[in-house]
Amino acid sequence: MDDMKPATIAAQGLGWVDEKTRAVAPPLHLSSTFLRDEDNQYRSGRNYARADNPAFDQPEVLLAALEKGADALLFASGMAAATAVFQALAPGDHVVAPKVMYWSLRNWIAGFADTWGIAVDFADMGDLNAVHSAMQPGRTKLVWAETPGNPMWNITDIAALAQIARAAGAKLAVDSTVATPVITQPLELGADIVMHSATKYLNGHSDIVAGALVTRADDEFWAKIRNNRIQLGGILGSFESWLLLRGMRTLFPRVKTACASAQKIATAMTKHPHVRAVLYPGLPDFPGHEIAARQMKGGFGGMLSLLVAGGERAAITTAAEIRIWKRATSLGGVESLVEHRASVEGPDTPCPPDLLRLSVGIEDTDDLIADLSQALDEAH
Ligand SMILES: *Cc1c(COP(=O)(O)O)cnc(C)c1O
């Protein structure tokens, strides 16, 4: 097992077979409760599905293996996974989080911090000096990062951030939804916790909402997070867990295809007369490209954004003229999506009004480029 490549482990779902039937796909366990032994013990190790569900075992062990972590936990959504980390903090603790990050989580942090008595500083994670001066050694318990970061795809240097966090006695948690374990291993770079919206690339088929955390060490902080899942009950359903495992088995070919296609689309769009700028970590002149080249292996992800010439109206009209790409939120599915992001994030957003966010799927690259080009032309 140890010498197998991650792509092999993923494709075979760890190579597990059902002992009873020799089935290569796991059975679907729907039971909410488990039988107690006659002497009042629970030798199966399970008693109730909110605490522990056999449907979690295979996807959790597989994800922990892909992220090279000690343990993984599935949650009802990416937000349930992320908020479980913050809810493991105590009143009085201090957190440093990115200025530009997944919008719903940023909003929640700002509100939660107030009611929970947690102090938060939002810092520019690309400016290590700014992060350093935001730290309050002894009081800062968590540094949150997201790389590439929604929706501008800012790159954060995970290894450098891990050093700053460790020196101050804080944990570093990284939202690695967009990078995926195929191209980045945050734990190897020094992070303590990796978070995924498993709704996105891990599942990959836009048919479940799910989240996950992976830890480097099974320590006290992790025990709090695990207890939070049991007690707050943000668990994933059995069927969703089963679908997630099925999705993860094709993670590598999906992500590799999306990365290769995104790189070509980004390059083609830099030459389009109606595109003001292309935001993609794989472009050599993108700020952060050098860090991305160091910490992302085999590709720069399937997400990019276009700043459309002509402003907000032209951007929205371009999205309206699209035929193959689907106009929808979310990302990381096999079908390509386009979204006018500022409309979603509301008036306080740092997102430019002329930005279109593109999630590249696994369709033919030439079809995707031709469709984008005709939509841009139609809108101008
Ligand atoms: C979607 C997303 C989330 C939230 O996950 P849900 O599964 O929608 O709750 C968090 N971070 C990033 C980067 C995302 O794309």
Side-chain angles (χ1 to χ4, degrees):
M1 260 308 278
D2 284 352
D3 54 352
M4 268 198 256
K5 299 278 195 295
T8 307
I9 298 172
Q12 300 198 350
L14 296 154
W16 286 11
V17 290
D18 180 50
E19 287 306 328
K20 264 216 172 86
T21 61
R22 311 303 287 157
V24 298
L28 180 54
H29 286 287
L30 296 170
S31 193
S32 60
T33 191
F34 301 87
L35 203 62
R36 197 186 267 279
D37 300 329
E38 283 169 6
D39 60 358
N40 220 31
Q41 304 290 301
Y42 270 118
R43 276 189 198 77
S44 71
R46 305 185 195 273
N47 51 42
Y48 188 55
R50 175 155 45 75
D52 186 17
N53 182 339
F56 300 160
D57 293 357
Q58 207 170 335
E60 284 181 347
V61 176
L62 175 56
L63 184 58
L66 296 180
E67 290 287 9
K68 302 186 174 71
D71 195 19
L73 288 168
L74 298 184
F75 288 84
S77 66
M79 282 296 286
T83 54
V85 177
F86 288 88
Q87 286 177 317
L89 297 169
D93 288 351
H94 174 248
V95 174
V96 178
K99 267 197 177 129
V100 180
M101 62 180 289
Y102 183 72
W103 189 244
S104 305
L105 184 58
R106 190 192 189 281
N107 279 351
W108 180 84
I109 293 170
F112 169 83
D114 257 5
T115 47
W116 199 258
I118 287 175
V120 185
D121 277 308
F122 291 100
D124 173 0
M125 291 294 178
D127 178 354
L128 294 174
N129 287 330
V131 179
H132 200 270
S133 44
M135 300 298 289
Q136 301 176 20
R139 186 173 178 228
T140 307
K141 292 291 155 53
L142 179 69
V143 176
W144 188 268
E146 178 184 328
T147 183
N150 248 299
M152 321 273 277
W153 319 115
N154 308 35
I155 298 296
T156 303
D157 187 335
I158 298 173
L161 218 54
Q163 276 185 6
I164 295 174
R166 194 168 314 130
K171 299 256 185 208
L172 172 63
V174 177
D175 181 342
S176 196
T177 299
V178 171
T180 83
V182 177
I183 47 184
T184 306
Q185 259 90 44
L187 301 181
E188 275 198 334
L189 294 167
D192 299 288
I193 290 175
V194 178
M195 175 248 148
H196 286 284
S197 167
T199 312
K200 316 291 169 55
Y201 289 100
L202 293 183
N203 180 62
H205 293 78
S206 310
D207 52 11
I208 65 165
V209 173
L213 296 175
V214 188
T215 187
R216 166 216 289 288
D218 193 351
D219 56 11
E220 209 179 311
F221 193 66
W222 186 249
K224 272 193 201 156
I225 292 172
R226 191 191 293 119
N227 275 334
N228 277 350
R229 185 180 71 168
I230 296 171
Q231 289 162 356
L232 304 179
I235 54 161
L236 193 60
S238 294
F239 188 45
E240 285 76 7
S241 305
W242 191 94
L243 281 173
L244 175 57
L245 176 68
R246 188 174 73 161
M248 283 169 71
R249 292 175 74 154
T250 58
L251 177 68
F252 280 73
R254 281 188 288 103
V255 169
K256 285 180 178 170
T257 302
C259 284
S261 203
Q263 183 78 43
K264 281 191 194 147
I265 294 166
T267 306
M269 286 301 121
T270 57
K271 294 172 198 124
H272 199 286
H274 300 317
V275 173
R276 184 163 73 77
V278 181
L279 308 179
Y280 184 63
L283 295 174
D285 58 354
F286 184 79
H289 171 72
E290 273 170 33
I291 299 164
R294 237 187 297 128
Q295 75 184 17
M296 302 176 85
K297 300 266 149 56
F300 294 91
M303 297 301 299
L304 66 139
S305 294
L306 304 182
L307 303 183
V308 178
E312 175 162 28
R313 187 98 306 271
I316 292 173
T317 311
T318 300
E321 294 292 343
I322 283 265
R323 297 192 190 121
I324 297 174
W325 301 65
K326 302 293 175 215
R327 254 182 326 278
T329 195
S330 197
L331 57 98
V334 290
E335 63 287 295
S336 295
L337 303 179
V338 58
E339 179 173 48
H340 180 252
R341 194 66 200 162
S343 301
V344 177
E345 298 193 357
D348 301 332
T349 177
C351 176
D354 57 354
L355 182 144
L356 286 182
R357 187 180 83 170
L358 305 179
S359 171
V360 179
I362 62 167
E363 303 94 334
D364 184 273
T365 310
D366 293 339
D367 281 350
L368 295 175
I369 292 174
D371 189 29
L372 264 181
S373 301
Q374 70 76 24
L376 283 160
D377 292 341
E378 281 300 316
H380 286 83

